Amino acid sequence: MKFLRKRIDKIKPHFEEGGRFYFLHSVFDGFETFLYVPDHVTKKGAHIRDAIDMKRTMIIVVAALAPAILFGIYNTGLQHFIATGQEQDFWPMIVYGLMKVIPLIAVSYIVGLGIEFAFAQIRKHEINEGFLVSGMLIPLIVPADTPLWMLALATAFAVIIGKEVFGGTGMNILNPALTARAFLFFAYPSWMSGDKVWVSGMMNGEGIIDGYSGATLLAQSAAGAGEFVNGLGEKIGHMEMFIGTIPGSVGETSVLAILIGAIILLVSGIGSWRIMLSTLVGGVLMGLLLNAFAVNPAMEVPWFEHLMIGGFAFGLVFMATDPVTAAQTNRGKYIYGFLIGFLAILIRVLNPAYPEGMMLAILLMNVFAPLIDHMVVQQNIKKRLKRSVSSVKS
Amino acid sequence: MSKTIRIRKGLDINLKGEAEKVMLDENLPNLYALKPIDFTGLVPKLQLKEGENVKKGEIVFFDKYRPQIGFASPVSGNISKVVRGDKRKMLEIIISKTESIDCVKHNISDYDLNREEDIKKLILVAGLWPFIKQRPYGIIANPEDSPRDIFISMFDSAPLSPDVEFVLNDKKEQVNFALSVLRKLTKGDLYLGFRKDSNLVSLINNSADYKINYFYGPHPSGLPGVQINKIAPINKGDIIWTINPCDLAIIGDFLLTGIYNPERIIALAGSEIKKPAYFKTIAGADISGALKDNLKSNNVRVISGNVLTGSNISHSQYLGFYDSLVTVIPEGNEHEMFGWAMPGLNKLSMSQTFLSSLLPKKKFVANTNLHGGHRAYVVTGQYEKVCPIDIYPQLLIKAILAEDIDKMEQMGIYEIIEEDLALCEFACTSKTDVQDIIRKGLDIMIKEMS
């Protein structure tokens, strides 16, 4: 390994100011710091620093996403073979799923990281690791059949308009992955909603059996169906909803896989338990309220089923907890999370045109997060002012 | 009524190499330094020139803008060198000790130690005033002020810090006399903060004269900033004076004898010290002799003070004016392959992202590596975990970066100095230089308020 280090040190001068490849210095730096934690030492302030850095933080989130990715690959194959009426073993499903999901991940990373590298170069700063997570989130919240050019366009939109125009990772107002999803949702609605997009192969009708319906449970609930059925008209049990063998976006269907991710995020302390808890509470409360005043089948969907269908669980664990776009104060996080859960179920049930309320609720609260923080901080400021006024009087 | 306060937020960093409570025999070195850079914001002006002889206790330089504040020589000898840095900034005044002890003796009986004015005059003229610091801003106190209160934290909670009880053990008379005199400098109260269950409180004679409180919990429970915030927070316009507990012995000794004798017991600690222990020396002493043959390797950083707030003295090894601790840790100037991806049983981290979080009692060898690159803020809530003062550190820092004076004031900049947020800097995922930013904010406020 000494050899590798020596090689890097040898070519490094070419990438420094005045070197032949200076125009690639951010890229070089990105790869070098990927291979080696730099030898930089503390120059001012505290002499020792915590071993955690952005790479470690982001890699933990990617690890937490792994179960959802793996299950998504399996489920993409499974749903396809159910819809085409083929009896298949485990491995062909995985192979089919890989052929669908890997290109999505690859396109998202190549486009997103390419833009990140370019901006880092122009702005002369180090490459930020934030996109390692965003780039993995984007493929997981779109249907497996999303055309790759569409995904590329959405990713570019999310990174440039959603993030870089505000100054890059850490400065953005909206969650980049959801920005990509919202872009697709509003620009290409026929690919992002309806009964055909959620099961791979249905859009181009490759051998779908007669009478098969690819409607998601959310669409069924919005359409006022009494009970949830799968594409063949059989009833779907709670276990299937929990395990996630139902149609939907690549990574959002399995509550089990998402739960494993949530545990990783909570144990490592990377994901905010405050946001997760309050989002859950908000969702449950809205579900109960709707159940109590139910006047139509959509409102009658039991509150606990709301937690298992659609993107609620995925959004709760991986999207609402994005620290950049969430509220920053601890008290603000409770309010922020609660409102996400509350609004997500509300939008989902009362506005059938937008069954995916989670995406809209999170984006809405992203916009309001600074306001929530402002209110929380104002309390702190008022407390301080009051104290100083009373001390002047006495 | 004394209170017992639990500090919940904070972090005790477990480092290897705590000083054993034994006294080493060290000969006093020949060289000593007075370092103007030890005093925040000071513009020094020399009273004596390079090459001149100086008595012990004689003023060597003074504050250009407050000329009554002088800085006394710790030993008698000769000013051998004035070390300057960029723009001729005065960094160190090196004094080489001579054999004969020639000292300035003040006649204490000329001063009425019951009168505030006389006490101030005596401390100023003897060059001991710099021991008194003020809040807000963390600078040397202004002798013309009359502080609301005086706060002295009687313990140090920082990593590897010296045990104040051990250091002040045989200084009972000096400490009590210093406290009784300093008590008269404020019309408010003199607050003493002890660690809960500490025996040190028995050292205090007239405890009814002071307000005594007890604290427990992780660092920064021993910082005066935290104790002030929990007991009587600083409001706009308030001035609080603070003094280090170990300095009380020096002040008391002077008030009893009339001679400035800045003798200190310092702890020599850190993972790279062969035999971590205490030894007696003098403020500003050259400690290279004590380190010689006592280091485990050569690639080390020598810190005067603790690992969070101390100053790097690797190249010029003179003890800082206020410091009772020298910490030696390894330099981290090497590349680590895939360091960010390793399980990390040996990684010191507040987060639970490394396996080491399963070993809460483990003592670590921490080096000076930054462990990553500077980033914009991404993670939130980290600072709050280690800041017991009721401010929003991250938002305050953003206000400072925006140079928004009103916001800084509203967010509570008067209540903190660098050391109060040093743990935030340690914990930061984005590797933000928190203390440096806080200092900039304080400097802006000083300029704005004057």
Side-chain angles (χ1 to χ4, degrees), chain A residues 156-213:
Chain A
F157 177 83
V159 174
I160 297 172
I161 306 293
K163 196 157 83 170
E164 293 300 341
V165 292
F166 293 105
T169 305
M171 317 284 183
N172 48 310
I173 292 167
L174 299 176
N175 184 314
L178 280 179
T179 309
R181 180 69 167 74
F183 176 83
L184 288 172
F185 184 80
F186 289 108
Y188 305 102
S190 61
W191 284 91
M192 288 296 129
S193 51
D195 291 352
K196 290 203 161 148
V197 301
W198 306 105
V199 173
S200 180
M202 269 189 98
M203 275 305 255
N204 46 20
E206 19 174 291
I208 303 296
I209 54 174
D210 287 345
Y212 183 86
S213 157

Side-chain angles (χ1 to χ4, degrees), chain A residues 50-52 56 60, chain B residues 336-359 362 364 371:
Chain A
D50 198 298
I52 196 171
R56 184 77 181 181
I60 298 275
Chain B
E336 187 192 0
M337 194 167 196
F338 291 120
W340 54 276
M342 292 294 164
L345 260 178
N346 288 316
K347 301 240 175 191
L348 172 61
S349 174
M350 184 183 85
S351 72
Q352 290 114 47
T353 57
F354 294 96
L355 277 185
S356 58
S357 65
L358 301 173
L359 310 163
K362 183 179 163 105
F364 291 89
H371 301 296

Side-chain angles (χ1 to χ4, degrees), chain B residues 14-34:
Chain B
N14 289 326
L15 295 182
K16 265 190 191 157
E18 195 179 341
E20 209 185 320
K21 281 177 197 154
V22 290
M23 292 293 287
L24 295 178
D25 245 353
E26 282 293 335
N27 294 331
L28 285 177
N30 286 325
L31 295 175
Y32 297 81
L34 268 173

